[in-house]
Amino acid sequence: MADEDFSKLLQQAEQLTTEIEGNEELPRVERSLGQVLEASHELYSRVIQSGANDIQAHLLFGSKGIDLQQISQKLETLSSKRTFEPLQPIADSDIESFLKNERENAILSLIDEVNKNSLQTTEDQKWEHMLSEWTKEKIKLMNAMIGPSQNWLDLKRTPEPPSIADTPKKFGHSMLDSIEAAYARQVQQYNKLVFQGAKSRTALHQKFSQVAEEFNDPKVKEMWEIIKTMSNIPALVRDEDPLKARGNSTIQQCLIAQGKKYLEKRYKQYMSDVVRANPAAAMRGGEPGTFPLVKGYVGLRLQGQNTQGLTDGVIEDRPLWPMVYYCLRSGDATAALHCLRKAGRDHEEFIAALEEHIRDPEKALTDKLQTAINFQYRIQVRNSTDPYKRAVYCVIGCCDVSDEHSEVARTADDYLWLKLSVIKSRSDNESESFSYSDLQKMILEEYGETHYHAYEKPLVYFQVLALTGQFEPAIEFLSRIPRYQVHGVHMALALHDLYMLGTPRNVQAPLLSVDTDDPVPLRRLNLARLILLYVRKFELSDPSDALHYYFFLRNLKDPSGKNLFMCCCTDLALESRDYDLLFGVMDEVTGMRSPGLLDQFNNPHIDSKVIALNLAEQLVNKGLFEDAIMVYDIADNLEKVLELFCVLLAQVVSGAGGLRERLGALSARVAGRLRAPAPPAAPAPPAALVEAYTKLCKLCTFFDQFHSENYEGALETIRSCELVPLSAGELEARVAGARCARGELLRALPAVLRALCHILIAQRQKLRAAQASLPAHTANKQLEWLKEQAEVLNTFAGNIAYRMPGDTYSQLAQMQILMH
């Protein structure tokens, strides 16, 4: 059975051998078993080392006739190490090697320079972006601070304005409430008088205080009354620093007198209200004047236990010194003198001192009287049980400036009046004195917001600051309280209009800052920052009102020296992008521009066209070329309009889309400007620029005809454009013209040549289709013309000094081949 199986296996093997030998396509391979085993081991080891993927790769590429092993060996021989290695030194006589080295050196230096420039540009852009982001964060942080800064801080520009998306409707629904709108109307009316040059106009603080009376808010009315009172001083010089003027002794005496006047008037009104509320107990009677009023008030105020410790008897059933004190407290020193005279002859020296005080309230007593009053105070009055007597002696004779008089001064008003009363103009040899600066420092720095519970009682803290001539911290405090911010801003405008507001030398300063050159503790208020913080709420919804507020910044400069009003207008236009509203609308028929919002502010120092130029420069920097074209047109800078137009047209001349359509609409306006006579002050644009613009417009027409397959019209348009040659006779002139053409035209050349290739090939195909029906002579002539066109275009592309994309050259060459 086994022999039979073996014989059958042998027979099959011989049959297989016969079939192999009969195949003529494959040669016979004879290998011994050892060779087969060795080959299998080799194949196995290669699979283990290189993996099955390499085997599959060899099979894949081998099926396409590619020897992967040979390619791998060639790639291993390639090396980039020698590309940037230093060149080998050569002998001086080897000219060929010297030129080769110089060429390679030029290439290497160019590559290195481009690499360095690219890295530097990237680094600059990175830091510019980081600086811009950090600047925005600094502004946000600074504006979020609720406390005043004590030192200079270098901040960039003004707070970040809101975006258009944050407003309910651009230039639509007003963001002003009734109070803000009432103030804004007064601002507009006042500025219109300024535009007209009216010399006699109502002061701004009077206009604002009249408006405040309509708000039915007694606290606001009282704050404006303080501003009106404190601003009633001799007019300050515009060119003089307000803080330095405030340090003048004459101005200080006026401020002290006005502060006392307000406090005295207010207290007299308070006494009248008290007496009127209790007429039976006061028993004033019908007699007018301060004396009967004080008599009635003292009768109500001092009863029973309150009269203990009072000295020197009574007058008309009222204690003497309270009567004298309250007469002085109500601002009537003559009534106080009347009280002392009724008291008898025991107060002759003090009566003399009071008479001298009446003659000059802000001046210290003569040395003789001062010595007598001080002696009486030290010997008798200082230890007296009558607090009113001590207070009266200190007010008239300035005997003890450190006495707080807490028994008498129970309110902030009383305390402030007593402190203002002891400030007198003194001789230089006076050892003990209390100055206006000491009082200001005490209120602002020693006591401050915490002592006065400023946020609970904002009126009190504002009052003590304003009545001591510290307008800047008072307004800065109001600006931090939402309810009073609007009033604080307009108080700042009113004081600035009177040259009484101290502003920093740098508009980048914080809202409240300290200048080391100023007397302690005066502060400076950054009016620009205050206005911009206020206006940013409604500058997009109420641009007209915003511009009128910006107008108060017309005498300030930004860090680069530009007019701050014009800078704010530029920023507003950049944010809103409603140029027609701000600058006016051009009439297409007459060529005249209607007045815009900015035109009313034009004067020798402010020009809306300069604002437009500044705006256009920023638009170009931001890449908003379309907007820049419109704004340069507003500024009558036709050269810039054409330059930007050429830049944009070169990008879209061969395509389609929204930008190309918008440029088409703009081109009609620009063409009208070119036809119209130029303004007298505007220079004419360069002829080369006008020519480039005209040719680009024609190229737009050419591509429109090309896309609509109007090839005959397209060829006619390109011939009139005189940019590329269509015959051998035009070649030299067109090459010369391309060498001096503007870059925008050269950038459009590749698309133009590719379009011409397509047109000529289409005409060649059309000629072939109609060749059978045409006379041989006519067909040959047209074919020769097409060949000439193709050859001329190839020659032109090779001779101009402009390197086009490779596909353009290949398409031109292919076209020339197809023409044969």
Side-chain angles (χ1 to χ4, degrees):
M1 189 70 179
D3 294 340
E4 186 177 348
D5 291 339
F6 183 76
S7 298
K8 189 176 181 179
L9 182 62
L10 178 61
Q11 183 180 359
Q12 291 176 353
E14 289 176 350
Q15 184 178 356
L16 180 62
T17 303
T18 304
E19 291 176 355
I20 293 174
E21 289 177 349
N23 189 352
E24 299 178 353
E25 294 180 0
L26 296 174
R28 184 174 181 181
V29 179
E30 294 183 358
R31 285 192 182 188
S32 64
L33 292 177
Q35 289 174 330
V36 172
L37 180 63
E38 183 181 357
S40 65
H41 280 298
E42 183 182 355
L43 179 61
Y44 177 75
S45 63
R46 287 173 60 187
V47 171
I48 293 300
Q49 292 176 0
S50 60
N53 291 335
D54 284 357
I55 300 300
Q56 294 177 1
H58 278 279
L59 292 174
L60 174 64
F61 284 100
S63 65
K64 301 297 182 182
I66 299 174
D67 189 347
L68 192 61
Q69 185 175 2
Q70 185 179 3
I71 291 177
S72 299
Q73 292 174 355
K74 289 181 178 180
L75 289 174
E76 288 174 1
T77 60
L78 296 176
S79 174
S80 61
K81 292 181 180 180
R82 295 184 58 191
T83 304
F84 296 100
E85 285 181 354
L87 301 178
Q88 297 297 326
I90 57 172
D92 295 339
S93 58
D94 192 350
I95 303 298
E96 183 178 353
S97 299
F98 172 77
L99 293 175
K100 180 180 179 182
N101 276 7
E102 286 298 313
R103 178 177 177 273
E104 292 181 0
N105 271 327
I107 295 173
L108 290 175
S109 62
L110 181 61
I111 293 173
D112 187 52
E113 184 179 356
V114 170
N115 185 39
K116 287 181 180 179
N117 290 341
S118 300
L119 291 175
Q120 186 62 42
T121 302
T122 305
E123 186 77 6
D124 293 343
Q125 290 178 349
K126 180 191 77 172
W127 282 111
E128 183 179 354
H129 177 73
M130 291 180 66
L131 180 61
S132 175
E133 292 296 319
W134 172 229
T135 299
K136 293 178 181 178
E137 290 301 320
K138 282 197 297 184
I139 292 170
K140 291 178 182 178
L141 288 172
M142 192 61 211
N143 293 333
M145 292 182 181
I146 59 172
S149 171
Q150 302 297 320
N151 297 298
W152 284 95
L153 292 178
D154 185 16
L155 293 183
K156 184 77 174 175
R157 198 185 158 269
T158 54
E160 179 184 6
S163 64
I164 297 176
D166 296 334
T167 59
K169 181 181 179 184
K170 184 180 73 170
F171 298 161
H173 175 68
S174 175
M175 295 294 291
L176 294 170
D177 59 29
S178 58
I179 295 176
E180 293 166 342
Y183 277 127
R185 283 193 295 271
Q186 295 299 324
V187 168
Q188 288 206 21
Q189 292 175 11
Y190 183 79
N191 282 341
K192 286 177 181 176
L193 292 176
V194 175
F195 301 155
Q196 296 168 5
K199 295 184 178 180
S200 59
R201 52 180 182 265
T202 306
L204 201 53
H205 69 274
Q206 294 181 4
K207 286 179 171 289
F208 289 155
S209 60
Q210 291 171 5
V211 172
E213 292 179 359
E214 303 172 2
F215 300 150
N216 296 323
D217 190 333
K219 292 183 178 180
V220 172
K221 184 178 178 180
E222 195 171 329
M223 286 192 289
W224 274 110
E225 191 64 32
I226 292 173
I227 295 295
K228 280 176 61 178
T229 303
M230 296 302 294
S231 60
N232 188 18
I233 61 174
L236 299 180
V237 182
R238 173 179 175 177
D239 296 331
E240 187 177 3
D241 190 319
L243 294 190
K244 288 183 171 54
R246 211 177 296 171
N248 182 281
S249 59
T250 304
I251 299 298
Q252 280 192 0
Q253 287 178 12
C254 292
L255 290 173
I256 292 168
Q258 291 302 108
K260 287 173 59 181
K261 179 181 178 181
Y262 173 81
L263 292 169
E264 290 163 355
K265 178 182 177 182
R266 186 180 180 195
Y267 199 80
K268 189 172 184 179
Q269 183 62 44
Y270 166 72
M271 289 194 299
S272 299
D273 294 340
V274 171
V275 170
R276 192 179 300 112
N278 301 275
M283 296 184 294
R284 173 182 175 175
E287 185 180 355
T290 304
F291 180 81
L293 174 63
V294 172
K295 178 183 174 182
Y297 178 76
V298 171
L300 291 172
R301 182 78 179 265
L302 301 175
Q303 298 177 356
Q305 297 292 331
N306 292 336
T307 60
Q308 292 183 1
L310 302 181
T311 61
D312 295 343
V314 297
I315 52 170
E316 296 188 11
D317 298 328
R318 300 290 187 269
L320 171 63
W321 291 109
M323 287 289 293
V324 175
Y325 172 78
Y326 286 114
C327 286
L328 292 174
R329 181 68 180 84
S330 61
D332 196 339
T334 305
L337 182 62
H338 174 70
C339 294
L340 287 170
R341 285 174 176 168
K342 291 192 71 166
R345 296 180 175 273
D346 298 335
H347 312 286
E348 295 296 334
E349 287 184 338
F350 194 82
I351 288 174
L354 186 56
E355 289 174 343
E356 188 171 313
H357 170 79
I358 292 172
R359 288 194 293 271
D360 194 348
E362 307 306 325
K363 190 175 181 181
L365 300 176
T366 58
D367 293 342
K368 181 179 179 180
L369 275 174
Q370 187 71 54
T371 302
I373 294 299
N374 284 342
F375 179 76
Q376 285 186 15
Y377 181 81
R378 287 194 298 270
I379 299 301
Q380 301 176 1
V381 180
R382 176 182 291 173
N383 299 319
S384 173
T385 58
D386 191 337
Y388 293 98
K389 185 174 183 179
R390 294 200 306 271
V392 170
Y393 265 76
C394 287
V395 168
I396 301 302
C398 302
C399 300
D400 186 359
V401 295
S402 62
D403 194 340
E404 301 292 333
H405 303 286
S406 55
E407 301 97 328
V408 175
R410 295 188 177 93
T411 65
D413 283 15
D414 294 335
Y415 177 83
L416 186 58
W417 179 80
L418 284 168
K419 289 299 181 182
L420 288 172
S421 298
V422 300
I423 301 174
K424 309 284 185 179
S425 57
R426 298 170 175 271
S427 58
D428 295 337
N429 59 358
E430 186 68 35
S431 59
E432 184 182 9
S433 64
F434 183 71
S435 67
Y436 198 43
S437 297
D438 294 334
L439 176 60
Q440 292 173 330
K441 185 178 180 181
M442 181 188 299
I443 290 173
L444 181 63
E445 297 180 357
E446 294 180 18
Y447 290 160
E449 297 179 13
T450 305
H451 174 80
Y452 288 102
H453 304 286
Y455 284 96
E456 299 172 14
K457 303 174 182 178
L459 176 60
V460 174
Y461 189 57
F462 170 81
Q463 176 180 302
V464 295
L465 288 173
L467 291 175
T468 54
Q470 300 184 88
F471 307 116
E472 294 78 16
I475 292 172
E476 188 272 340
F477 167 69
L478 288 184
S479 71
R480 288 185 270 126
I481 302 177
R483 178 183 175 187
Y484 296 117
Q485 181 194 21
V486 57
H487 307 293
V489 169
H490 292 86
M491 289 174 188
L493 294 178
L495 292 172
H496 179 68
D497 186 56
L498 297 171
Y499 313 116
M500 291 180 64
L501 189 72
T503 56
R505 292 170 291 179
N506 187 350
V507 295
Q508 294 178 335
L511 192 56
L512 193 67
S513 60
V514 177
D515 194 330
T516 54
D517 293 339
D518 293 335
V520 177
L522 296 183
R523 304 287 193 267
R524 291 182 178 270
L525 182 73
N526 192 338
L527 182 66
R529 188 178 292 276
L530 181 69
I531 290 177
L532 291 171
L533 280 169
Y534 174 70
V535 168
R536 69 175 181 175
K537 169 188 173 183
F538 58 85
E539 62 182 357
L540 293 179
S541 62
D542 304 86
S544 178
D545 293 314
L547 292 174
H548 279 279
Y549 281 97
Y550 292 155
F551 189 64
F552 285 94
L553 308 178
R554 62 190 180 277
N555 295 320
L556 300 178
K557 303 289 184 184
D558 75 341
S560 62
K562 295 181 180 178
N563 185 291
L564 193 56
F565 166 75
M566 296 171 68
C567 293
C568 292
C569 295
T570 301
D571 293 337
L572 176 61
L574 191 64
E575 183 69 17
S576 66
R577 298 176 68 180
D578 196 331
Y579 314 119
D580 289 343
L581 178 67
L582 296 173
F583 297 99
V585 181
M586 177 73 76
D587 190 326
E588 299 294 341
V589 178
T590 62
M592 300 295 292
R593 184 172 295 279
S594 63
L597 292 179
L598 288 173
D599 289 316
Q600 60 186 316
F601 299 97
N602 283 337
N603 60 41
H605 305 288
I606 298 173
D607 189 349
S608 59
K609 289 188 177 181
V610 176
I611 297 174
L613 285 174
N614 295 336
L615 172 61
E617 290 176 5
Q618 294 198 30
L619 288 170
V620 170
N621 294 335
K622 289 180 175 291
L624 301 173
F625 287 177
E626 290 181 72
D627 287 18
I629 288 173
M630 292 187 287
V631 177
Y632 272 127
D633 183 38
I634 291 169
D636 291 330
N637 193 329
L638 189 56
E639 181 178 350
K640 287 290 185 181
V641 170
L642 295 179
E643 284 182 2
L644 295 177
F645 218 107
C646 289
V647 170
L648 291 180
L649 275 180
Q651 299 174 15
V652 298
V653 65
S654 61
L659 176 58
R660 197 172 187 274
E661 292 176 1
R662 293 194 300 273
L663 288 176
L666 273 176
S667 64
R669 179 187 298 183
V670 177
R673 292 296 305 275
L674 283 173
R675 289 192 299 269
L689 180 59
V690 176
E691 181 185 6
Y693 165 75
T694 306
K695 289 184 176 181
L696 282 170
C697 289
K698 288 184 178 180
L699 288 181
C700 288
T701 305
F702 164 76
F703 281 106
D704 289 339
Q705 294 169 333
F706 168 71
H707 292 311
S708 62
E709 298 185 0
N710 181 11
Y711 297 146
E712 296 296 333
L715 288 174
E716 189 62 33
T717 301
I718 202 66
R719 182 176 288 107
S720 66
C721 189
E722 297 182 354
L723 181 62
V724 296
L726 296 179
S727 64
E730 297 176 353
L731 179 61
E732 186 176 350
R734 299 294 178 264
V735 170
R739 288 173 181 169
C740 59
R742 290 180 62 90
E744 295 87 358
L745 277 174
L746 294 178
R747 280 193 289 273
L749 267 180
V752 171
L753 292 174
R754 288 196 296 270
L756 286 173
C757 286
H758 187 89
I759 291 173
L760 293 179
I761 290 173
Q763 289 187 332
R764 176 71 176 107
Q765 293 173 349
K766 183 179 178 181
L767 180 61
R768 280 182 179 176
Q771 193 168 4
S773 60
L774 291 175
H777 175 72
T778 304
N780 290 335
K781 187 175 181 180
Q782 290 184 0
L783 182 60
E784 289 299 324
W785 181 80
L786 290 174
K787 288 180 181 179
E788 180 187 1
Q789 292 260 18
E791 185 177 354
V792 167
L793 290 178
N794 270 281
T795 307
F796 173 74
N799 286 342
I800 61 174
Y802 180 73
R803 185 171 182 81
M804 292 181 289
D807 61 337
T808 303
Y809 292 110
S810 63
Q811 194 168 348
L812 286 168
Q814 185 180 6
M815 175 196 65
Q816 189 171 5
I817 293 171
L818 291 174
M819 291 301 169
H820 289 83

